[in-house]
Amino acid sequence: MKKDHYAPGEPCWIDCGTDLAKAGAFYTSLFGWTINDLGPEAGGYAMAQLDGSTVAGLGPQQSPGHPYWSVYFCVTDAAKTAETVRANGGTVIVEPMDVMGEGHMAVFADPVGAAFSVWQPGNTKGLGEVQSPGTFCWAELITTDMDESKKFYAQVFGWGAKDGDDNSMEYTEFQLGVTSIAGAMPKPDMMPKEVPPFWGIYFAVDDTDETVARVKELGGSVLAEPMDIPSVGRFAACTDSVGAVFSVLAMSPG
């Protein structure tokens, strides 16, 4: 789906701080992306494109540890959002800053510890395509305190929370109006204790099993083998060849 506008509070951008050469080769082979380096003035940042639309960003890793995908939410004023984050118990990791005239960004952590970013659009409005195979389709918060997370994001972005009716697992869909724009779930017991709360991303695919097989061929790994999610689709969790975690989802028809 082509996209040229994002509502405040909606996920609008994803990027990964990583080994650009290795990650670029991995995603080019997996999803058919074209990687376009923006040059020295952009600090090594590159745009990933698919059929002419920008679908992600890739840049040098800025902090020690594993590379990771980040999700950005659209805001009208990054500086005011920083104030709201602080007032509601969050932390400002990177103060609002101009990005080459394309917009303003900032990086925060919620009170439970999950990092997220915001984007105040300028010339760059956000991703040019979403929900199509090989592009971003969902953001999901893994948290250790669902109630605190719901309260915080309601204050910062005005999100509502629609709790699932599946008794087998606790799941919440964050909503803008009646539109679900992201999800949240408690950190699973099987996840290592040292893994902090985090925002994860999903890519849409045509066939989850084929994609997972290809991930393995390209040097990635599988954290959760393909499984069906009723009324949603077929899901799997993976790491790329550098170690960044992402999920894939073949959505159910309709």
Side-chain angles (χ1 to χ4, degrees):
M1 178 177 71
K2 299 294 183 182
K3 191 89 168 169
D4 59 10
H5 173 76
Y6 289 87
E10 188 177 6
C12 65
W13 191 260
I14 56 170
D15 65 14
C16 189
T18 186
D19 181 312
L20 187 58
K22 290 182 180 179
F26 176 88
Y27 291 106
T28 294
S29 297
L30 185 65
F31 294 139
W33 292 356
T34 299
I35 309 299
N36 297 309
D37 194 324
L38 298 182
E41 65 276 10
Y45 200 82
M47 297 293 197
Q49 294 190 314
L50 185 64
D51 298 329
S53 295
T54 301
V55 296
L58 297 173
Q61 190 169 333
Q62 299 298 318
S63 58
H66 289 295
Y68 58 90
W69 280 98
S70 299
V71 59
Y72 293 66
F73 299 99
C74 182
V75 296
T76 56
D77 190 318
K80 287 186 177 180
T81 303
E83 294 175 3
T84 304
V85 165
R86 287 192 178 100
N88 287 279
T91 304
V92 177
I93 299 173
V94 176
E95 293 283 351
M97 57 182 288
D98 175 73
V99 183
M100 300 173 62
E102 296 299 314
H104 288 76
M105 66 158 288
V107 183
F108 308 125
D110 68 26
V112 189
F116 65 99
S117 300
V118 298
W119 180 252
Q120 176 186 329
N123 293 328
T124 297
K125 307 304 178 186
L127 301 173
E129 186 163 354
V130 296
Q131 307 292 330
S132 307
T135 72
F136 169 76
C137 68
W138 191 245
E140 186 175 80
L141 173 65
I142 306 298
T143 181
T144 53
D145 191 329
M146 289 286 283
D147 290 339
E148 181 66 26
S149 296
K150 292 177 192 177
K151 178 182 175 182
F152 174 79
Y153 291 104
Q155 292 295 324
V156 173
F157 295 129
W159 291 349
K162 178 184 176 183
D163 294 331
D165 53 11
D166 182 355
N167 294 328
S168 66
M169 65 176 292
E170 184 179 358
Y171 199 87
T172 291
E173 294 180 15
F174 289 124
Q175 295 187 315
L176 286 174
V178 297
T179 302
S180 295
I181 49 86
M185 63 180 289
K187 181 181 173 181
D189 292 338
M190 68 187 72
M191 195 171 285
K193 289 184 178 181
E194 62 270 20
V195 175
F198 67 95
W199 277 95
I201 65 163
Y202 286 66
F203 292 107
V205 296
D206 284 322
D207 188 307
T208 300
D209 295 78
E210 287 185 3
T211 302
V212 165
R214 186 63 177 149
V215 165
K216 294 175 182 177
E217 291 174 0
L218 294 170
S221 61
V222 179
L223 302 176
E225 292 287 347
M227 66 184 75
D228 293 318
I229 304 173
S231 75
V232 175
R234 191 160 173 80
F235 145 91
C238 308
T239 68
D240 64 24
S241 58
V242 190
V245 176
F246 66 98
S247 297
V248 295
L249 178 67
M251 291 175 276
S252 300

